[in-house]
Amino acid sequence: LVNSDEITVIGSLKRMTSSFEKSVKLAQRRADAWANKEPGGQLAYAIEETGAGARILADLVKSGALFDRVLPAAVNSPLLFSHTVSLYARAAELEQYVPEFVPIIERHLPSIEPHLEEILDQWEKIEPHLGYIIKNIDQLAPHCGPLVKHIDELLLYADEDEVHSRYFPELLEYIGYFAPRLDNLVAKKHLTYLRPHLPKITPHIMQLAPNVDRFTPYPSVSANADVLVWYFGWALQTPIIRTIVQIWFRIPGVPMFCSWLATHLPKRPVRGQCAGIECFTDDDFPTVSLRRGLKTKAAQTVYLWRRLKAEGGGLWNKWRG
């Protein structure tokens, strides 16, 4: 029989091997990218990253942070050394942020280390938003795994202009609730569908968030959230009625009924001239899928009938005569 200690050691070795392989692949991709820029690019890449790595270590030693802060934190993440190749591959890009990273390493390295390869691999997407991430690292770090995994969908919400940046504080406090549910939400495309309607949803987020799991199978609710909020948003803001609505949401079949409403309520009062735009997929609601299926079959039948008339015109005329 294999005891638990052996299982732990085997699992750690597998993780270490996987991380090291990913590190090598990342370094190879970076070196190949440099090679495509100019002759001798790989050598220039190695010189730049080596120089950046040396400067980082020298600065950490000079400030005392290496032995006083970084290495003591690394003791709690013994697999950190398996990421050394990927850290080397990004050394030049990481250099300017090292002073800000030291406190993060102290507090959150055990949460970040298992996902370090994914973070470094997606660095080009993450770096433009690094200021916001560092500022809110205490809320984000415990959930960095699912956040990095679904970064493409989450970047839809990463507006940097003055108008949309106000949504971050309101959504940030729910990050611990939504992060474990991102796999299901992304699979049903809720994040993509919901983004255009975020201004209308944000004031009701406190009432809607507890019901996410019940509505996840129905993406048409997110795709037509503006319609539902226009008709029923008042109920979520009225003290007594919103309590009744919360109870109503828990009744089996209500999420499906809301999905039906989302695709059948008149949209012109909400969207004006854009009312004819369909914001749902074929799988959103059964009656929508059926209606589209019937339209498709009808179109195919008309096409085949016209083709029969065109190709068999003689037989057709003889039959009519």
Side-chain angles (χ1 to χ4, degrees):
L1 296 177
V2 180
N3 58 42
S4 58
D5 292 337
E6 291 176 333
I7 294 175
T8 303
V9 171
I10 293 173
S12 298
L13 288 173
K14 288 182 178 179
R15 265 195 57 203
M16 182 179 64
T17 303
S18 176
S19 297
F20 185 75
E21 290 177 352
K22 291 178 181 178
S23 293
V24 172
K25 290 179 181 179
L26 173 60
Q28 185 62 51
R29 288 198 303 271
R30 296 271 296 153
D32 291 343
W34 274 72
N36 293 330
K37 291 181 181 179
E38 55 181 291
Q42 289 186 339
L43 178 59
Y45 166 71
I47 293 173
E48 177 171 345
E49 301 300 340
T50 302
R55 289 191 298 271
I56 291 173
L57 287 175
D59 291 341
L60 289 174
V61 171
K62 183 178 180 180
S63 65
L66 180 63
F67 297 104
D68 295 338
R69 306 174 71 180
V70 176
L71 291 180
V75 173
N76 297 321
S77 300
L79 299 182
L80 181 63
F81 73 92
S82 64
H83 305 285
T84 50
V85 177
S86 56
L87 289 169
Y88 170 83
R90 294 286 190 186
E93 296 167 298
L94 298 174
E95 182 178 4
Q96 60 179 311
Y97 302 108
V98 169
E100 297 170 288
F101 285 165
V102 171
I104 296 175
I105 292 172
E106 283 187 296
R107 300 197 305 269
H108 300 293
L109 185 59
S111 299
I112 295 174
E113 181 273 323
H115 313 286
L116 192 56
E117 294 303 325
E118 290 77 12
I119 293 172
L120 294 171
D121 194 33
Q122 301 281 0
W123 182 254
E124 285 82 1
K125 299 176 183 178
I126 294 173
E127 187 176 15
H129 312 283
L130 200 58
Y132 175 80
I133 294 171
I134 293 174
K135 180 181 178 180
N136 300 283
I137 192 64
D138 292 334
Q139 292 93 337
L140 298 174
H143 313 288
C144 66
L147 295 179
V148 174
K149 179 180 179 181
H150 301 295
I151 188 170
D152 290 328
E153 290 80 12
L154 292 172
L155 285 179
L156 294 173
Y157 295 77
D159 302 283
E160 296 181 332
D161 57 84
E162 296 180 359
V163 176
H164 293 114
S165 62
R166 66 184 183 89
Y167 299 127
F168 282 122
E170 296 169 334
L171 297 178
L172 187 63
E173 60 182 294
Y174 294 95
I175 195 70
Y177 181 81
F178 285 113
R181 295 168 168 82
L182 283 177
D183 285 344
N184 292 331
L185 292 174
V186 171
K188 289 292 186 177
K189 300 183 180 180
H190 281 280
L191 297 185
T192 304
Y193 291 152
L194 193 61
R195 181 60 187 91
H197 312 308
L198 188 62
K200 296 179 175 63
I201 288 296
T202 303
H204 310 287
I205 191 70
M206 186 178 297
Q207 287 77 36
L208 297 175
N211 303 287
V212 167
D213 293 335
R214 299 181 185 89
F215 285 87
T216 298
Y218 307 101
S220 60
V221 173
S222 293
N224 298 283
D226 58 331
V227 177
L228 292 173
V229 169
W230 193 88
Y231 282 100
F232 306 110
W234 60 271
L236 296 173
Q237 296 298 317
T238 307
I240 298 177
I241 297 179
R242 70 187 178 195
T243 302
I244 299 173
V245 170
Q246 291 297 330
I247 298 173
W248 185 62
F249 280 155
R250 288 168 170 76
I251 299 175
V254 166
M256 180 179 288
F257 177 65
C258 292
S259 182
W260 182 87
L261 288 175
T263 54
H264 289 77
L265 284 171
K267 297 180 176 62
R268 186 166 295 276
V270 186
R271 298 176 180 170
Q273 295 181 352
C274 299
I277 298 176
E278 296 182 345
C279 297
F280 43 75
T281 64
D282 289 340
D283 298 326
D284 287 350
F285 192 79
T287 59
V288 176
S289 301
L290 177 61
R291 187 168 67 246
R292 290 186 176 182
L294 291 175
K295 288 182 179 180
T296 302
K297 290 295 183 183
Q300 291 175 348
T301 302
V302 171
Y303 170 76
L304 292 174
W305 184 254
R306 289 175 178 174
R307 183 175 177 182
L308 179 63
K309 288 174 63 177
E311 294 182 356
L315 295 175
W316 171 257
N317 293 330
K318 183 178 180 181
W319 179 78
R320 290 187 63 187

